[in-house]
Amino acid sequence: MSAADPLLLSDSKDVQDRFSQMIRETLSAVFNSYSDDSAFSGIDPYELRQKIGDLGFLPQKGKGFEEVLKETERTILPHMLRTWSTKYMPHLHSPVLTETICSELIIACFNDSMDSWDQGPAATELEESMVRGLNGLFGFPEEGSDGCFTSGGSQSNISAIIAARDWYCMNRFNWDVKMNGLPPEYTRMRVYTSEISHFSMDKASHILGMGYRAVRKIPVDSRCRIDLRAFERMLEEDVAAGLFPYCAVATFGTTDFGSIDDAEGMRELCDRYGMHLHADAAYGSGLIMSQQYKDRIKSISLCDSITVDFHKMFLLPISCSAILMKDGERLKCFELHADYLNREEDEEDGYINLVGKSMQTTRRFDALKVFMAFQTRGIDGYGRIIDTAVGNASYFYQRIASDPAFIAPVEPELSSVVFALASGDEVNKKVRRALLSEGTVIGQTVMDGRVMLKFTLLNPNLGHERIDSIVARIKELGSQF
Ligand SMILES: *Cc1c(COP(=O)(O)O)cnc(C)c1O
């Protein structure tokens, strides 16, 4: 192709033709970069580092799109992770629904930003509309609640904890954190979460200036859920010791086990002590789409805020998450007026500016992906996706629970199964590495000091035969080490 690469999209027919061709060539490059159903090329990290290092950084003279695409196709794409493969199951890292790849193209073409209405008119209105719908979906009132899309579960969680802290300080100490910073009592404020909850809670507490010490870890029961008795005792002791419990986090789907805390019991305790109850449903929120399993998360509506990740069970491209807040007033912790961005007089005339709901300023129009996926699939289509994932985990668990070669200590409630070959830590580690070099990627974690393997099953194309064949291969490899 001799025509110069167009700088930008425009209303010119030539530009549109040339850009359409670039998109077709890009798709060909993607499809040419793999030829089987494996998840990964299996390349050694040192060899890959060498290849990537040889690519160069910034040439004096640009090479043109075609040349660069060729190089990308040759060196980078073959070693990317193929999330759509049914041999990929280590993390809460999903394949993506095809229609939402198209959404990403639209998002990139327009590059609207969510901070002010005049940077994304339809984007602002659609995000607001989706947030209202999501609040209703999870059992929050549509009026008076609020929410915002974020870059991921970690940001949604820290947003919730900031909101909880500011609300508590005003309520309890009549202290305005936004104006005055942390109150004198801050070294005695505590957030409660299970010992196997996500590390983003510790990170959040550090960033908030309260440190890891302020995160109290509640022991879990044999099904990996918060032990309510232990939580109750902890609260009694802490309050007696002069501490201030301000927030608790119920995990709806722990990252490793998919276990779901009892938010009903936690709600009672939070009410007793005047605490905010946050639901970290980064993983388990997807269950809301399943007619068969959504009861497992029905207590989510009792919480004050919810973290939803769309780039996990909902199968949307990274990044896509939301924080939902039952009492919208608590989200005002991020409100601030800048003369150049969000004048109050405009907001009075309907030009709403979402910058005041977010930690971010410039922000992606991720709500479009949720809209397009919801409309494309409907509750029925999404329900089938979730049911398949949960059903597969249950099938896999049953299959290995009766096999003496394996141990599988926790029955899955969601779509992850933690298990191990009974033959010991070293064998399990070697089996995972051997599978990786064959292009099958499974997870590894630790439970009670023991190395465990993990299947995180999100792929709706995964069938029982594939599960059976991986189980057989794991046993075969296990007997070789
Ligand atoms: C994945 C996960 C997070 C973090 O979400 P990101 O989108 O990766 O930032 C938080 N909590 C739980 C329970 C998770 O599984």
Side-chain angles (χ1 to χ4, degrees):
M1 185 71 206
S2 53
D5 301 329
L7 274 176
L8 308 173
L9 294 183
S10 77
D11 57 358
S12 140
K13 180 85 173 49
D14 283 350
V15 166
Q16 291 172 3
D17 287 346
R18 171 70 186 123
F19 181 66
S20 303
Q21 185 191 13
M22 289 164 75
I23 295 290
R24 279 193 301 275
E25 288 170 359
T26 303
L27 277 178
S28 300
V30 169
F31 298 144
N32 289 338
S33 71
Y34 60 95
S35 54
D36 60 25
D37 66 352
S38 62
F40 177 51
S41 66
I43 191 171
D44 166 86
Y46 294 106
E47 189 188 343
L48 181 57
R49 201 160 305 150
Q50 183 70 46
K51 279 180 191 284
I52 299 284
D54 290 345
L55 284 174
F57 172 57
L58 175 63
Q60 188 64 43
K61 255 193 175 41
K63 299 174 181 174
F65 177 73
E66 245 90 43
E67 186 55 36
V68 173
L69 183 64
K70 231 183 279 165
E71 218 164 68
T72 306
E73 177 182 335
R74 198 166 41 231
T75 311
I76 302 176
L77 301 193
H79 307 298
M80 287 186 75
L81 200 282
R82 306 190 274 265
T83 45
W84 57 84
S85 164
T86 52
K87 294 181 175 173
Y88 183 63
M89 49 184 71
H91 304 289
L92 284 165
H93 174 201
S94 72
V96 294
L97 298 172
T98 50
E99 67 273 18
T100 60
I101 303 176
C102 301
S103 316
E104 285 286 3
L105 181 60
I106 296 174
I107 292 167
C109 282
F110 288 93
N111 202 34
D112 279 16
S113 179
M114 304 310 304
D115 33 343
S116 63
W117 203 91
D118 64 3
Q119 296 179 80
T124 298
E125 297 299 336
L126 186 71
E127 174 166 321
E128 282 286 276
S129 160
M130 294 309 289
V131 163
R132 261 194 309 280
L134 288 167
N135 274 313
L137 183 67
F138 286 98
F140 280 7
E142 293 194 26
E143 292 304 316
S145 60
D146 208 344
C148 186
F149 278 73
T150 73
S151 61
S154 304
Q155 194 192 26
S156 295
N157 282 342
I158 191 171
S159 299
I161 293 178
I162 293 170
R165 177 198 63 184
D166 288 13
W167 163 81
Y168 181 89
C169 288
M170 182 50 79
N171 236 19
R172 177 77 204 232
F173 311 129
N174 196 25
W175 183 272
D176 181 350
V177 176
K178 199 186 278 185
M179 285 308 298
N180 303 318
L182 294 169
E185 296 86 353
Y186 84 92
T187 56
R188 286 183 281 147
M189 290 175 65
R190 295 292 181 269
V191 52
Y192 297 74
T193 183
S194 100
E195 59 182 336
I196 55 166
S197 68
H198 194 262
F199 62 78
S200 50
M201 246 55 76
D202 302 84
K203 255 194 188 174
S205 192
H206 165 217
I207 297 168
L208 262 56
M210 305 202 221
Y212 293 173
R213 180 189 53 188
V215 185
R216 296 281 275 138
K217 300 285 171 72
I218 313 165
V220 292
D221 63 19
S222 62
R223 298 186 57 194
C224 291
R225 297 172 308 183
I226 278 182
D227 177 343
L228 281 178
R229 279 279 190 63
F231 181 28
E232 186 171 17
R233 268 198 309 277
M234 208 178 239
L235 284 168
E236 281 166 10
E237 285 167 16
D238 287 359
V239 169
L243 299 176
F244 296 100
Y246 73 96
C247 182
V249 180
T251 308
F252 284 76
T254 53
T255 310
D256 274 344
F257 301 95
S259 50
I260 298 169
D261 290 330
D262 173 6
E264 214 175 313
M266 293 177 75
R267 176 78 268 170
E268 250 181 72
L269 292 170
C270 286
D271 285 345
R272 192 184 303 167
Y273 290 96
M275 301 160 70
H276 180 105
L277 177 57
H278 174 60
D280 180 2
Y283 180 5
S285 46
L287 244 55
I288 203 74
M289 292 300 194
S290 161
Q291 298 313 304
Q292 200 175 340
Y293 301 115
K294 75 173 173 196
D295 269 3
R296 293 184 184 176
I297 61 162
K298 66 173 185 293
S299 60
I300 203 165
S301 64
L302 301 174
C303 299
D304 296 303
S305 53
I306 306 174
T307 287
V308 183
D309 259 5
F310 295 101
H311 54 221
K312 289 179 176 170
M313 284 198 110
F314 287 94
L315 311 185
L316 301 202
I318 298 165
S319 55
C320 198
S321 176
I323 175 69
L324 304 175
M325 195 67 66
K326 185 183 272 172
D327 169 10
E329 287 296 312
R330 293 188 198 178
L331 202 58
K332 294 215 165 132
C333 56
F334 298 122
E335 198 173 72
L336 184 145
H337 289 276
D339 290 335
Y340 82 94
L341 209 53
N342 56 340
R343 295 152 296 265
E344 285 181 67
E345 84 232 20
D346 284 352
E347 299 191 350
E348 280 159 18
D349 291 331
Y351 296 97
I352 49 174
N353 300 301
L354 302 191
V355 66
K357 300 184 188 193
S358 175
M359 297 175 65
Q360 292 168 262
T361 306
T362 302
R363 190 160 58 82
R364 291 165 49 87
F365 179 26
D366 289 320
L368 181 68
K369 295 183 285 197
V370 180
F371 169 77
M372 288 180 68
F374 277 18
Q375 295 288 318
T376 301
R377 305 289 157 182
I379 290 182
D380 292 347
Y382 252 119
R384 281 192 291 275
I385 289 169
I386 305 297
D387 290 350
T388 303
V390 178
N392 275 334
S394 177
Y395 171 80
F396 173 61
Y397 176 78
Q398 300 303 341
R399 188 143 181 338
I400 59 171
S402 55
D403 185 335
F406 291 100
I407 47 173
V410 184
E411 186 170 351
E413 285 181 274
L414 281 179
S415 64
S416 332
V417 184
V418 173
F419 68 102
L421 281 160
S423 39
D425 289 0
E426 288 313 306
V427 173
N428 283 295
K429 285 187 198 169
K430 283 182 183 156
V431 165
R432 191 191 68 88
R433 281 283 181 84
L435 285 172
L436 181 64
S437 64
E438 295 174 3
T440 298
V441 192
I442 69 167
Q444 180 180 319
T445 187
V446 171
M447 184 182 187
D448 300 331
R450 208 162 166 171
V451 173
M452 304 295 287
L453 302 174
K454 179 170 76 157
F455 278 12
T456 309
L457 306 176
L458 298 175
N459 192 323
N461 286 338
L462 179 68
H464 292 180
E465 321 79 66
R466 172 51 49 84
I467 294 176
D468 292 346
S469 69
I470 297 178
V471 170
R473 185 67 187 138
I474 289 174
K475 283 177 82 163
E476 191 178 17
L477 285 166
S479 65
Q480 289 168 19
F481 296 122

